[in-house]
mmCIF file of all heavy atoms in Angstrom:
data_model
loop_
_atom_site.group_PDB
_atom_site.id
_atom_site.type_symbol
_atom_site.label_atom_id
_atom_site.label_comp_id
_atom_site.label_asym_id
_atom_site.label_seq_id
_atom_site.Cartn_x
_atom_site.Cartn_y
_atom_site.Cartn_z
ATOM 1 N N GLY A 196 -3.515 0.460 -2.679
ATOM 2 C CA GLY A 196 -2.295 1.231 -2.466
ATOM 3 C C GLY A 196 -1.169 0.728 -3.368
ATOM 4 O O GLY A 196 -1.105 -0.456 -3.702
ATOM 5 N N HIS A 197 -0.289 1.616 -3.749
ATOM 6 C CA HIS A 197 0.827 1.275 -4.633
ATOM 7 C C HIS A 197 1.796 0.331 -3.918
ATOM 8 O O HIS A 197 2.336 0.652 -2.851
ATOM 9 C CB HIS A 197 1.533 2.566 -5.031
ATOM 10 C CG HIS A 197 2.555 2.394 -6.096
ATOM 11 N ND1 HIS A 197 3.841 1.996 -5.818
ATOM 12 C CD2 HIS A 197 2.470 2.550 -7.434
ATOM 13 C CE1 HIS A 197 4.518 1.922 -6.960
ATOM 14 N NE2 HIS A 197 3.699 2.257 -7.951
ATOM 15 N N ALA A 198 2.031 -0.842 -4.531
ATOM 16 C CA ALA A 198 2.827 -1.878 -3.854
ATOM 17 C C ALA A 198 4.236 -1.387 -3.528
ATOM 18 O O ALA A 198 4.766 -1.668 -2.445
ATOM 19 C CB ALA A 198 2.879 -3.138 -4.709
ATOM 20 N N GLY A 199 4.837 -0.655 -4.465
ATOM 21 C CA GLY A 199 6.203 -0.163 -4.247
ATOM 22 C C GLY A 199 6.268 0.760 -3.044
ATOM 23 O O GLY A 199 7.175 0.662 -2.199
ATOM 24 N N GLN A 200 5.283 1.645 -2.950
ATOM 25 C CA GLN A 200 5.248 2.584 -1.830
ATOM 26 C C GLN A 200 5.045 1.843 -0.509
ATOM 27 O O GLN A 200 5.641 2.184 0.505
ATOM 28 C CB GLN A 200 4.102 3.589 -2.026
ATOM 29 C CG GLN A 200 4.285 4.550 -3.177
ATOM 30 C CD GLN A 200 5.394 5.552 -2.899
ATOM 31 O OE1 GLN A 200 6.548 5.313 -3.241
ATOM 32 N NE2 GLN A 200 5.039 6.658 -2.261
ATOM 33 N N ILE A 201 4.177 0.827 -0.557
ATOM 34 C CA ILE A 201 3.900 0.068 0.667
ATOM 35 C C ILE A 201 5.173 -0.625 1.148
ATOM 36 O O ILE A 201 5.518 -0.621 2.328
ATOM 37 C CB ILE A 201 2.759 -0.946 0.440
ATOM 38 C CG1 ILE A 201 1.457 -0.180 0.139
ATOM 39 C CG2 ILE A 201 2.574 -1.861 1.636
ATOM 40 C CD1 ILE A 201 0.274 -1.056 -0.210
ATOM 41 N N LYS A 202 5.925 -1.190 0.195
ATOM 42 C CA LYS A 202 7.188 -1.856 0.553
ATOM 43 C C LYS A 202 8.165 -0.854 1.147
ATOM 44 O O LYS A 202 8.841 -1.116 2.138
ATOM 45 C CB LYS A 202 7.800 -2.517 -0.688
ATOM 46 C CG LYS A 202 7.174 -3.851 -0.991
ATOM 47 C CD LYS A 202 8.171 -4.786 -1.688
ATOM 48 C CE LYS A 202 7.640 -6.200 -1.669
ATOM 49 N NZ LYS A 202 7.515 -6.815 -2.995
ATOM 50 N N LYS A 203 8.216 0.312 0.517
ATOM 51 C CA LYS A 203 9.101 1.366 1.011
ATOM 52 C C LYS A 203 8.737 1.724 2.458
ATOM 53 O O LYS A 203 9.609 1.920 3.302
ATOM 54 C CB LYS A 203 8.938 2.607 0.134
ATOM 55 C CG LYS A 203 10.194 2.885 -0.681
ATOM 56 C CD LYS A 203 10.344 4.142 -1.348
ATOM 57 C CE LYS A 203 9.883 5.315 -1.798
ATOM 58 N NZ LYS A 203 9.628 6.056 -2.801
ATOM 59 N N ALA A 204 7.442 1.808 2.694
ATOM 60 C CA ALA A 204 6.974 2.172 4.037
ATOM 61 C C ALA A 204 7.425 1.129 5.058
ATOM 62 O O ALA A 204 7.926 1.463 6.136
ATOM 63 C CB ALA A 204 5.456 2.304 4.045
ATOM 64 N N ILE A 205 7.284 -0.144 4.691
ATOM 65 C CA ILE A 205 7.699 -1.215 5.617
ATOM 66 C C ILE A 205 9.186 -1.124 5.910
ATOM 67 O O ILE A 205 9.615 -1.267 7.061
ATOM 68 C CB ILE A 205 7.408 -2.600 4.993
ATOM 69 C CG1 ILE A 205 5.931 -2.737 4.706
ATOM 70 C CG2 ILE A 205 7.933 -3.711 5.863
ATOM 71 C CD1 ILE A 205 5.153 -3.446 5.738
ATOM 72 N N LYS A 206 9.955 -0.865 4.870
ATOM 73 C CA LYS A 206 11.414 -0.737 5.059
ATOM 74 C C LYS A 206 11.708 0.371 6.061
ATOM 75 O O LYS A 206 12.539 0.218 6.950
ATOM 76 C CB LYS A 206 12.084 -0.393 3.706
ATOM 77 C CG LYS A 206 12.399 -1.584 2.854
ATOM 78 C CD LYS A 206 13.868 -1.514 2.357
ATOM 79 C CE LYS A 206 14.335 -2.890 1.914
ATOM 80 N NZ LYS A 206 13.619 -3.341 0.700
ATOM 81 N N LEU A 207 11.030 1.492 5.857
ATOM 82 C CA LEU A 207 11.267 2.641 6.735
ATOM 83 C C LEU A 207 10.866 2.296 8.182
ATOM 84 O O LEU A 207 11.608 2.592 9.121
ATOM 85 C CB LEU A 207 10.470 3.847 6.234
ATOM 86 C CG LEU A 207 10.562 5.118 7.075
ATOM 87 C CD1 LEU A 207 12.018 5.590 7.177
ATOM 88 C CD2 LEU A 207 9.700 6.224 6.492
ATOM 89 N N ILE A 208 9.741 1.641 8.320
ATOM 90 C CA ILE A 208 9.306 1.267 9.671
ATOM 91 C C ILE A 208 10.336 0.330 10.312
ATOM 92 O O ILE A 208 10.728 0.512 11.464
ATOM 93 C CB ILE A 208 7.912 0.600 9.643
ATOM 94 C CG1 ILE A 208 6.861 1.592 9.139
ATOM 95 C CG2 ILE A 208 7.525 0.093 11.026
ATOM 96 C CD1 ILE A 208 5.524 0.970 8.795
ATOM 97 N N ALA A 209 10.786 -0.628 9.506
ATOM 98 C CA ALA A 209 11.722 -1.627 10.043
ATOM 99 C C ALA A 209 13.027 -0.976 10.490
ATOM 100 O O ALA A 209 13.727 -1.512 11.346
ATOM 101 C CB ALA A 209 11.991 -2.697 8.999
ATOM 102 N N SER A 210 13.351 0.175 9.938
ATOM 103 C CA SER A 210 14.609 0.820 10.316
ATOM 104 C C SER A 210 14.399 1.868 11.415
ATOM 105 O O SER A 210 15.341 2.520 11.832
ATOM 106 C CB SER A 210 15.236 1.482 9.094
ATOM 107 O OG SER A 210 14.461 2.599 8.732
ATOM 108 N N SER A 211 13.149 2.006 11.861
ATOM 109 C CA SER A 211 12.887 3.073 12.833
ATOM 110 C C SER A 211 13.049 2.561 14.258
ATOM 111 O O SER A 211 12.954 1.372 14.536
ATOM 112 C CB SER A 211 11.473 3.614 12.641
ATOM 113 O OG SER A 211 10.543 2.654 13.088
ATOM 114 N N LYS A 212 13.279 3.501 15.152
ATOM 115 C CA LYS A 212 13.459 3.143 16.568
ATOM 116 C C LYS A 212 12.304 3.641 17.432
ATOM 117 O O LYS A 212 12.044 3.141 18.509
ATOM 118 C CB LYS A 212 14.764 3.774 17.101
ATOM 119 C CG LYS A 212 16.019 3.085 16.580
ATOM 120 C CD LYS A 212 16.394 1.927 17.490
ATOM 121 C CE LYS A 212 17.487 1.056 16.917
ATOM 122 N NZ LYS A 212 17.009 0.083 15.918
ATOM 123 N N ARG A 213 11.642 4.708 16.964
ATOM 124 C CA ARG A 213 10.584 5.300 17.789
ATOM 125 C C ARG A 213 9.315 5.550 16.963
ATOM 126 O O ARG A 213 8.895 6.677 16.745
ATOM 127 C CB ARG A 213 11.088 6.619 18.403
ATOM 128 C CG ARG A 213 12.338 6.450 19.283
ATOM 129 C CD ARG A 213 12.766 7.742 19.957
ATOM 130 N NE ARG A 213 12.950 8.841 19.008
ATOM 131 C CZ ARG A 213 14.032 9.000 18.242
ATOM 132 N NH1 ARG A 213 15.056 8.145 18.325
ATOM 133 N NH2 ARG A 213 14.107 10.014 17.414
ATOM 134 N N PRO A 214 8.684 4.471 16.504
ATOM 135 C CA PRO A 214 7.524 4.619 15.613
ATOM 136 C C PRO A 214 6.227 4.876 16.384
ATOM 137 O O PRO A 214 6.085 4.447 17.526
ATOM 138 C CB PRO A 214 7.444 3.251 14.946
ATOM 139 C CG PRO A 214 7.952 2.314 16.003
ATOM 140 C CD PRO A 214 8.996 3.065 16.787
ATOM 141 N N VAL A 215 5.315 5.583 15.759
ATOM 142 C CA VAL A 215 3.968 5.764 16.318
ATOM 143 C C VAL A 215 2.946 5.596 15.203
ATOM 144 O O VAL A 215 3.148 6.098 14.093
ATOM 145 C CB VAL A 215 3.753 7.178 16.898
ATOM 146 C CG1 VAL A 215 2.411 7.253 17.633
ATOM 147 C CG2 VAL A 215 4.864 7.591 17.815
ATOM 148 N N LEU A 216 1.879 4.880 15.487
ATOM 149 C CA LEU A 216 0.744 4.838 14.571
ATOM 150 C C LEU A 216 -0.212 5.946 14.955
ATOM 151 O O LEU A 216 -0.594 6.066 16.131
ATOM 152 C CB LEU A 216 0.031 3.489 14.681
ATOM 153 C CG LEU A 216 0.568 2.352 13.812
ATOM 154 C CD1 LEU A 216 0.204 1.013 14.445
ATOM 155 C CD2 LEU A 216 0.006 2.441 12.397
ATOM 156 N N TYR A 217 -0.579 6.764 13.974
ATOM 157 C CA TYR A 217 -1.497 7.881 14.225
ATOM 158 C C TYR A 217 -2.685 7.655 13.296
ATOM 159 O O TYR A 217 -2.547 7.703 12.085
ATOM 160 C CB TYR A 217 -0.736 9.178 13.947
ATOM 161 C CG TYR A 217 -1.559 10.356 13.469
ATOM 162 C CD1 TYR A 217 -2.561 10.926 14.259
ATOM 163 C CD2 TYR A 217 -1.290 10.939 12.230
ATOM 164 C CE1 TYR A 217 -3.282 12.020 13.807
ATOM 165 C CE2 TYR A 217 -2.002 12.038 11.774
ATOM 166 C CZ TYR A 217 -3.005 12.571 12.565
ATOM 167 O OH TYR A 217 -3.714 13.645 12.113
ATOM 168 N N THR A 218 -3.821 7.290 13.860
ATOM 169 C CA THR A 218 -4.920 6.835 13.013
ATOM 170 C C THR A 218 -6.172 7.681 13.209
ATOM 171 O O THR A 218 -6.371 8.269 14.258
ATOM 172 C CB THR A 218 -5.256 5.357 13.306
ATOM 173 O OG1 THR A 218 -5.741 5.248 14.647
ATOM 174 C CG2 THR A 218 -4.044 4.472 13.143
ATOM 175 N N GLY A 219 -6.997 7.709 12.181
ATOM 176 C CA GLY A 219 -8.168 8.575 12.220
ATOM 177 C C GLY A 219 -9.434 7.892 11.748
ATOM 178 O O GLY A 219 -9.534 6.657 11.728
ATOM 179 N N GLY A 220 -10.388 8.694 11.326
ATOM 180 C CA GLY A 220 -11.693 8.185 10.925
ATOM 181 C C GLY A 220 -11.642 7.224 9.747
ATOM 182 O O GLY A 220 -12.566 6.430 9.552
ATOM 183 N N GLY A 221 -10.569 7.277 8.964
ATOM 184 C CA GLY A 221 -10.435 6.363 7.830
ATOM 185 C C GLY A 221 -10.432 4.902 8.262
ATOM 186 O O GLY A 221 -10.872 4.020 7.516
ATOM 187 N N ILE A 222 -9.920 4.652 9.466
ATOM 188 C CA ILE A 222 -9.925 3.279 10.000
ATOM 189 C C ILE A 222 -11.369 2.807 10.173
ATOM 190 O O ILE A 222 -11.718 1.667 9.862
ATOM 191 C CB ILE A 222 -9.218 3.236 11.369
ATOM 192 C CG1 ILE A 222 -7.748 3.614 11.229
ATOM 193 C CG2 ILE A 222 -9.376 1.861 12.033
ATOM 194 C CD1 ILE A 222 -6.898 2.611 10.506
ATOM 195 N N ILE A 223 -12.222 3.732 10.650
ATOM 196 C CA ILE A 223 -13.617 3.365 10.890
ATOM 197 C C ILE A 223 -14.336 3.182 9.547
ATOM 198 O O ILE A 223 -14.992 2.168 9.324
ATOM 199 C CB ILE A 223 -14.346 4.464 11.697
ATOM 200 C CG1 ILE A 223 -13.496 4.952 12.866
ATOM 201 C CG2 ILE A 223 -15.742 3.998 12.128
ATOM 202 C CD1 ILE A 223 -13.415 4.087 14.057
ATOM 203 N N SER A 224 -14.189 4.162 8.658
ATOM 204 C CA SER A 224 -15.007 4.090 7.445
ATOM 205 C C SER A 224 -14.551 2.965 6.518
ATOM 206 O O SER A 224 -15.361 2.430 5.766
ATOM 207 C CB SER A 224 -15.047 5.431 6.710
ATOM 208 O OG SER A 224 -13.761 5.894 6.466
ATOM 209 N N SER A 225 -13.271 2.593 6.575
ATOM 210 C CA SER A 225 -12.851 1.487 5.704
ATOM 211 C C SER A 225 -12.956 0.143 6.420
ATOM 212 O O SER A 225 -12.665 -0.890 5.837
ATOM 213 C CB SER A 225 -11.415 1.705 5.224
ATOM 214 O OG SER A 225 -10.523 1.554 6.297
ATOM 215 N N GLY A 226 -13.349 0.162 7.680
ATOM 216 C CA GLY A 226 -13.481 -1.094 8.429
ATOM 217 C C GLY A 226 -12.149 -1.778 8.656
ATOM 218 O O GLY A 226 -12.005 -2.990 8.502
#
Side-chain angles (χ1 to χ4, degrees):
Chain A
H197 189 276
Q200 292 290 91
I201 295 176
K202 279 209 166 123
K203 248 193 348 244
I205 300 263
K206 275 229 161 67
L207 178 59
I208 296 168
S210 70
S211 72
K212 287 272 170 280
R213 301 184 306 281
V215 188
L216 273 155
Y217 151 63
T218 65
I222 296 291
I223 315 283
S224 53
S225 69

